[in-house]
Structure formats: structure tokens, C-alpha cells
Amino acid sequence: MAAANEDATRPQNTRAIMSFLREHAPFSSMDDTHLAHFAEHATLRFYADGDEVLSPNDGVVKRFFVVKQGRIRGERHNEKEDRAETTFEISQGECFPLAALIGERPTRTIHRAAGDTFCLSIEQKAFITLFSESEPYRDFCLRGVSSLLDQVNQRIQSRAMASIGSSNSLDTPLERYALRNPIVCTPDLPVRKAIARMHENNVGSIVITDDQRHPTGIFTLRDLRTLVAQDKSSLETPIRLVMTTNPCRLPSSAHAFEAAMLMAEHHFAHLCVVDDEGRLIGMVSERDLFSLQRVDLVNLARTIGTATHLRTLVSLRSDVSRLVDAMLAHGADSGQVVKIITTLNDVTVRRVLELNLQKHDPGIPFTWLTFGSEGRQEQTLLTDQDNGILFETPEGMTEDQVREKLLPFARKVNDELAECGFTLCKGNIMASNPKLCLSHQEWDDWFVRFIDASTPQNLVYSSIFLDMRAVFGPMEPLHHLQESVLQRIQKNALFQKMLAGNALQRKPPLTMFRNFRYLNDEKKHSLDLKRQGLAPFVESIRVLALAHGIEAANTLERIDALARKDVFDAKDANAWKEAYSLIQAIRMRAHQEMLDKREELTNYIDPDDLNPLDRRILRESFRQAQRLQQKLEVTYQL
């Protein structure tokens, strides 16, 4: 370790060191006795700008470091370009080198002081003592930033728990929830006997199975009410004639979240749990998944999906905010919560469309499209409308004649969605815009021009129209359209490069010294978590996903797909997913706090309002966005 100040001095004030450590993870979660052990064995060392603190040439790492003041830069040699490349930066309160110390090996990275820097360090013996005796310390050392992310999520969850109470996590496998030995019957059993069996066992459903115990149907109390109300069949009818066929099922390894989303989307309350051979092994009901106060996901989705008046839909929007708190309390991560919000938004959109079709059906089949964040299933409570219509032109009609029928209908739907809280799009990216109410051929021609003529405006549009999804009507037309769009993009290297260049315009809000870069003079201490935080991930991932023919629009799903195609290293993919999810979690928490204070929802936060752990995690998340953009730069030689 060249040029380090060899006049290392034992800290005189153990309390002062402990006070410093308490401001940073993992020390903020450690017992005082363990903090004191660290402080009493710590040495404070000074490193001038450019000094090597650690190097692969030093051999097996023997000390654990914490930055007291200044910064440490990680460097590795880029053999292709024969130059040193910065791989990370570590600032006040951060620790190093965890992997090398635990693995009892040399570090693979040169750790160099960036400016005058002071580091606290302990020898291997003290490190081993803390590692063996302190659970928070051990957990952090083994999992690093992942552990910090968990701490943030735990705090978010505990805040929501305060008014709701505990529950099992939505990440729990269904085998933990499933009712074993579910009540079953054969297809020929009379309805009367099936109902008696349900009554005797105090259950709300019975599963109809074949000889191999494969579920072929389900009959519930709701089916019974329909049977009695319509008076179409007697209670002596074989149950196979009145059952719901092909009941929804999931494997026992699936998580509760998957079950909850299926129930919410399709408005049913029971789900079969099957083994690898498709045999019935259990049942899960919505009550098994949720025990919330006054509202739950499946019930709220069903209430929205069956509402008979617009005013009911408007009143139900306030329940969505409460549900977000509840889902966080139930262990849902930010990726799950935005999908929950999007699912409820989809159900609302579909119901507004259905109610309008009942009143004035234009008589033309169509697919209702969503774009942007809703297309990616990444909506939060702050959302506007980005939608359009895809139709097939009926024989004997022109496209303009079809638009003449559809546009008044679309305008009414857009206005009613605005009443439900989906604000009208300022850029008029809405189905009532004639330019976004198009036939399949017109959409296809539009995308040809869009891709071939990479104008600045088209590049702006790319962040909206290249993330699209169907929420109502036939899905197949959109699938065919997406296939042709992806094929064109994959063949057009220039368009990909221009998309990449456009994506790099969204820079993470970090200065070269890892301080936050604020928006502007008007918002001197504000960060825009959507445009500065999430957009660098969304835009960069979109380019790579489209270039590799990935049809999924959701950012996290795109990252997983890119990792499966070996475009991303698995560790990088995980780091980028965690960083993206963390920014989204802080954004959602900020929205909840704004609602509590009855403030207008925005994406702005002041980092000074965050605690030290959140600021550190946010800074690390932005740094991950920088790494992702660096990959994009290298890929497209920008």
C-alpha cells in the first residue's frame, strides 16, 4: 500500500466513532457492544489523492475498511483498450472489500483514494469476531447492497404494517397456503349431493376431477346462486353440466403473488394447486391470501369489474391507495405493487369501456391499446392516459368511416377515465385522437415510417409507442403488429443506434463526485425520480430488448429475458433489477406520504428529506444506472 500515511493513530474517542458508525448501515442495526468492539479495534488512516489503498498485488486481504471521509475509486485494467477503467466509487460510510475478505483472497480491483480520504479499518481477527457474533453485520457482509435494499423494504413494510397488521408474504409458495385434501367429486354427482358435501365440510367450492385426479371443473357458492336465480337446472342435474370447466390452476411452487394477480384479473375467488403432473393437491381461496381491513385485491378488482355506474368507479379509486399500503405490508415489493396498480387500472379501463358499449356500441370490433408506463405495467398512483385503438376494417367500409363511428365513443371513454383519476394526456396520446385510432394496416404503415425516418420527434415517441399492450378486445392483432415491428427494428441497426443515443440523454442525477445533481435553479434541491431515476433504466433496457426481439414490455421482465439470452451477466441483471426496484419503492412511498398530507402527487423528492440509509441506497441505484448506460455506450460505440 504505497503512500499511505504510516502514522496510523488509534482513535481517541470511541464514542465519536460509534456515533459516526450509527449513521450508516449495517452499523445502524448493530448492538452497542458490537459497535464498541469495532471502535476499540479500529485504526484511522489517511490516503492522499491517487494513493492505492488496496491492490491485487497486496496478497490475501487482511483488513476491513469503512470510508470516514472522502471517496475510494475502484479500478480494473481494460485489456482490450489497455487502460484503467473505473468500476465503482465508495463514499462516506461505505465498506470494502467484502467479497475478498470473506473469500480469504486478494482483491481483484485496485482501490484508490479519489481526493484526500480517511478510512477506519479493523484487522481480520476483529472482523471475524463481529462476523460470528453480530447477525446484522454478518448478513450485510454476505449480501452487501441486497441487504441494504431489504432494510429499506422492511422499513417501508413496517410503516404500512402499523395500521394493518401482519400477514404472510406474497412471495410465499402456494404450497404453504393451499388447503390440503380439497373437497372433490366426480362429474356425474348430482348438484344436490355436491352442495351437501360442501356444507358438511364448510367450504365455498368443490372441484370436479377425473380418474387421475386432474381438475376438470369447479362449482362454487356463486355458481349455486346463479343456478337458483336463473332456474335453468334442477338440483338433480349432474354437476358436469353446470360446473365451470377448465378451472384456473397453478403449480405448488408458484408464489401467492401470481395467484393474487390471476384472481384479480379474472374475478374468481378460488384457484387449484396442482403438482408437476397436473394432479390436484390443494385449493387456495382469496381469503387464504388476504386478511386485510375493509379491502383486498381480489374483492376490489371484482367490485370495480362489476360496477354498474361511473360514479361507483370514481369512488373506488380512493381504495387503491389504501390497497398499496396493504400490499406493501403483505410483503409485496415495488415490482409487484406497480403490477397490482396496473391490474386495477386495467380492470377500471375495461369496465369503463364495457359500460359505454352497453349504452352506445359503435358496432365495430376493436382492440384498446395502452402505451408507456401502463403498457409496461409500471404505473403508480400518479398516472395519465396513453392509449389508442387498433381495428380491422369491415368489408364494405373505409378506414375513415370506421373512425367516424369509433372516435365519439373513444372521446367519451377518455373523458370518463379522466373522471376516474386517469388525467387527460397533455400530448393528446389518446384513442380520441384520429392519428391513434387506426386499422392494423395503418398502424403497420405508421411504424414503418416511424422506424425508417428516425426524426427527433419519433425518438421522443419511442418511449411511448414501443411499450404497448392490449387491455380490451382481441389480442391477436396486436401480437401480429408487434412481431412485424420487432423484426424491422432488429434489421435496422441505425434506428437502434439512434434509440441508444436518445436513451443516453436521460442521465442519472449524479455528479462526477457522486453528489446529487439537482433539476434546475427553480427546484434547487429536487430530484425527479421518474425522469432522472427510472427513465435511464427503462430507456436503456428498451433498446437492448427490442434489438434482441424481446416482446415483453415490462422493464424487469425485459432484464430477465436479456439475462436468459446472455446479453446481461446474471449478477449485473440482478443489480440493475434491485436498483430499479429501490427507486420505484422510494417513489411509491413518497406518493403515499403526499396523499397522507393531501398534497398534489409529483415525482419530485428532496434527498435531504431521506435518512442516511435511503440516500446511500439511492446514490448506489443511480450509479447502477450509470453502469447500464456505459454498457449501452460500448454496445453501440457512442
Side-chain angles (χ1 to χ4, degrees):
M1 297 180 196
N5 186 343
E6 295 299 329
D7 295 328
T9 58
R10 177 74 61 188
Q12 299 298 311
N13 192 335
T14 299
R15 285 186 181 178
I17 294 177
M18 292 174 65
S19 179
F20 165 77
L21 293 173
R22 285 194 190 97
E23 293 295 317
H24 307 281
F27 309 104
S28 53
S29 302
M30 290 168 59
D31 295 340
D32 281 351
T33 52
H34 295 136
L35 282 184
H37 183 84
F38 188 105
E40 289 164 0
H41 290 80
T43 298
L44 183 65
R45 297 192 178 191
F46 167 74
Y47 302 90
D49 183 35
D51 284 353
E52 281 189 7
V53 181
L54 280 176
S55 166
N57 298 327
D58 295 333
V60 176
V61 173
K62 298 294 185 183
R63 299 190 73 88
F64 173 81
F65 295 82
V66 180
V67 179
K68 179 75 164 55
Q69 182 180 316
R71 291 178 299 121
I72 297 292
R73 184 173 60 243
E75 294 179 357
R76 287 194 182 184
H77 185 69
N78 186 324
E79 294 182 0
K80 289 184 180 179
E81 301 182 19
D82 192 27
R83 63 179 178 84
E85 189 175 77
T86 299
T87 57
F88 61 80
E89 284 191 339
I90 297 171
S91 57
Q92 187 182 59
E94 295 185 73
C95 314
F96 65 97
L98 293 171
L101 195 60
I102 293 170
E104 297 183 346
R105 59 169 174 79
T107 177
R108 299 190 178 109
T109 308
I110 295 173
H111 292 66
R112 192 184 300 280
D116 290 349
T117 301
F118 289 88
C119 290
L120 289 166
S121 69
I122 57 174
E123 293 183 350
Q124 187 180 38
K125 184 177 178 181
F127 172 83
I128 291 172
T129 299
L130 289 173
F131 188 87
S132 61
E133 294 183 3
S134 172
E135 185 175 341
Y137 188 76
R138 179 171 60 256
D139 184 54
F140 171 79
C141 291
L142 290 174
R143 300 196 297 125
V145 172
S146 298
S147 176
L148 295 181
L149 182 60
D150 284 349
Q151 289 183 46
V152 174
N153 286 335
Q154 285 167 12
R155 184 161 56 252
I156 294 172
Q157 290 173 20
S158 64
R159 182 173 302 187
M161 283 284 192
S163 61
I164 294 179
S166 62
S167 173
N168 287 327
S169 167
L170 285 176
D171 287 325
T172 305
L174 284 180
E175 62 185 357
R176 293 264 300 277
Y177 284 101
L179 170 67
R180 296 292 172 173
N181 300 317
I183 306 308
V184 301
C185 70
T186 60
D188 295 323
L189 190 73
V191 171
R192 184 187 303 279
K193 291 188 176 181
I195 295 170
R197 192 172 297 181
M198 291 165 61
H199 178 70
E200 290 167 5
N201 291 276
N202 194 28
V203 295
S205 65
I206 189 167
V207 183
I208 296 84
T209 60
D210 61 18
D211 293 340
Q212 285 75 45
R213 204 173 168 79
H214 297 138
T216 60
I218 188 171
F219 186 82
T220 69
L221 291 178
R222 188 183 305 162
D223 296 325
L224 175 61
R225 289 196 296 270
T226 303
L227 186 69
V228 172
Q230 294 180 350
D231 195 24
K232 291 182 178 179
S233 302
S234 76
L235 294 180
E236 304 307 322
T237 302
I239 200 164
R240 59 182 164 78
L241 298 179
V242 295
M243 69 184 186
T244 300
T245 58
N246 297 318
C248 193
R249 68 204 72 187
L250 283 173
S252 59
S253 58
H255 289 172
F257 178 71
E258 296 174 65
M261 297 305 290
L262 274 175
M263 289 180 179
E265 187 172 355
H266 299 290
H267 306 161
F268 52 71
H270 298 84
L271 181 142
C272 298
V273 181
V274 296
D275 61 17
D276 293 340
E277 305 299 324
R279 293 185 294 261
L280 183 71
I281 60 174
M283 286 292 293
V284 171
S285 73
E286 59 179 298
R287 272 185 278 182
D288 296 325
L289 296 179
F290 303 105
S291 55
L292 311 185
Q293 294 177 349
R294 303 200 309 277
V295 64
D296 66 62
L297 171 62
V298 182
N299 184 56
L300 179 56
R302 185 183 301 118
T303 305
I304 293 172
T306 56
T308 55
H309 300 284
L310 177 66
R311 62 177 179 270
T312 305
L313 293 174
V314 174
S315 66
L316 287 170
R317 295 302 296 171
S318 60
D319 286 342
V320 177
S321 173
R322 244 174 342 114
L323 184 61
V324 170
D325 271 337
M327 293 296 99
L328 290 170
H330 278 72
D333 61 29
S334 61
Q336 292 174 339
V337 174
V338 293
K339 277 200 171 184
I340 287 167
I341 294 172
T342 304
T343 295
L344 292 174
N345 288 348
D346 287 354
V347 175
T348 304
V349 171
R350 282 195 286 267
R351 194 55 185 160
V352 170
L353 285 162
E354 288 164 355
L355 290 175
N356 275 280
L357 285 171
Q358 290 173 11
K359 289 184 286 188
H360 36 77
D361 188 339
I364 306 289
F366 64 88
T367 302
W368 188 270
L369 307 177
T370 63
F371 309 107
S373 61
E374 187 176 3
R376 295 191 302 273
Q377 295 180 288
E378 293 171 359
Q379 285 188 309
T380 63
L381 297 173
L382 176 59
T383 185
D384 61 1
Q385 294 187 53
D386 288 323
N387 45 51
I389 285 178
L390 165 63
F391 61 82
E392 298 289 347
T393 308
E395 190 174 348
M397 293 184 72
T398 66
E399 283 139 337
D400 286 337
Q401 288 173 330
V402 174
R403 264 187 291 279
E404 191 175 339
K405 286 182 171 291
L406 285 176
L407 287 174
F409 172 84
R411 193 168 296 112
K412 181 70 171 174
V413 172
N414 285 146
D415 290 341
E416 291 191 355
L417 287 175
E419 290 186 55
C420 291
F422 304 90
T423 57
L424 295 172
C425 177
K426 294 178 181 178
N428 200 23
I429 310 296
M430 292 185 292
S432 53
N433 180 346
K435 295 180 180 179
L436 298 175
C437 180
L438 304 174
S439 70
H440 186 282
Q441 187 59 53
E442 287 175 322
W443 274 114
D444 198 55
D445 293 343
W446 188 88
F447 273 109
V448 169
R449 297 191 300 272
F450 177 87
I451 295 167
D452 291 348
S454 303
T455 64
Q457 184 60 58
N458 281 358
L459 292 173
V460 172
Y461 281 157
S462 68
S463 64
I464 301 171
F465 295 108
L466 292 178
D467 298 336
M468 54 183 172
R469 190 168 55 89
V471 296
F472 183 86
M475 305 290 155
E476 200 62 24
L478 177 62
H479 175 67
H480 291 316
L481 178 64
Q482 285 177 315
E483 278 188 329
S484 63
V485 169
L486 283 171
Q487 288 172 6
R488 287 196 184 97
I489 292 175
Q490 285 183 280
K491 294 175 183 177
N492 194 325
L494 177 61
F495 181 70
Q496 292 178 35
K497 187 165 186 173
M498 294 188 73
L499 273 186
N502 188 63
L504 293 175
Q505 300 302 309
R506 301 276 194 174
K507 294 294 185 184
L510 285 182
T511 67
M512 64 180 295
F513 299 111
R514 293 196 74 198
N515 295 319
F516 291 119
R517 177 166 44 81
Y518 297 108
L519 277 170
N520 49 45
D521 291 338
E522 185 180 339
K523 298 185 180 296
K524 291 185 177 180
H525 293 284
S526 291
L527 302 175
D528 187 329
L529 289 182
K530 181 177 181 181
R531 287 183 170 81
Q532 294 179 291
L534 297 173
F537 287 97
V538 172
E539 304 278 348
S540 300
I541 295 297
R542 179 192 298 115
V543 178
L544 295 168
L546 294 172
H548 288 85
I550 294 168
E551 191 169 316
N554 180 265
T555 301
L556 297 178
E557 290 176 6
R558 280 172 166 170
I559 293 175
D560 285 336
L562 287 166
R564 287 193 296 271
K565 287 177 174 281
D566 294 326
V567 179
F568 288 160
D569 174 82
K571 289 183 179 178
D572 284 341
N574 191 54
W576 291 328
K577 285 174 63 177
E578 286 185 344
Y580 176 84
S581 298
L582 183 278
I583 298 171
Q584 191 72 276
I586 292 178
R587 180 189 180 208
M588 286 190 296
R589 187 180 63 193
H591 284 171
Q592 293 301 109
E593 291 173 353
M594 291 172 196
L595 286 173
D596 289 342
K597 297 175 183 176
R598 300 184 183 280
E599 296 175 352
E600 181 183 355
L601 290 181
T602 74
N603 291 307
Y604 302 127
I605 66 157
D606 183 345
D608 291 341
D609 293 339
L610 302 176
N611 60 56
L613 174 60
D614 284 0
R615 282 198 299 273
R616 176 179 168 190
I617 287 291
L618 197 58
R619 190 179 286 111
E620 169 63 19
S621 297
F622 293 154
R623 191 183 69 78
Q624 291 294 337
Q626 288 178 330
R627 287 186 58 244
L628 175 59
Q629 289 191 335
Q630 287 168 2
K631 180 174 181 63
L632 202 63
E633 287 176 337
V634 171
T635 301
Y636 289 98
Q637 299 179 339
L638 296 170

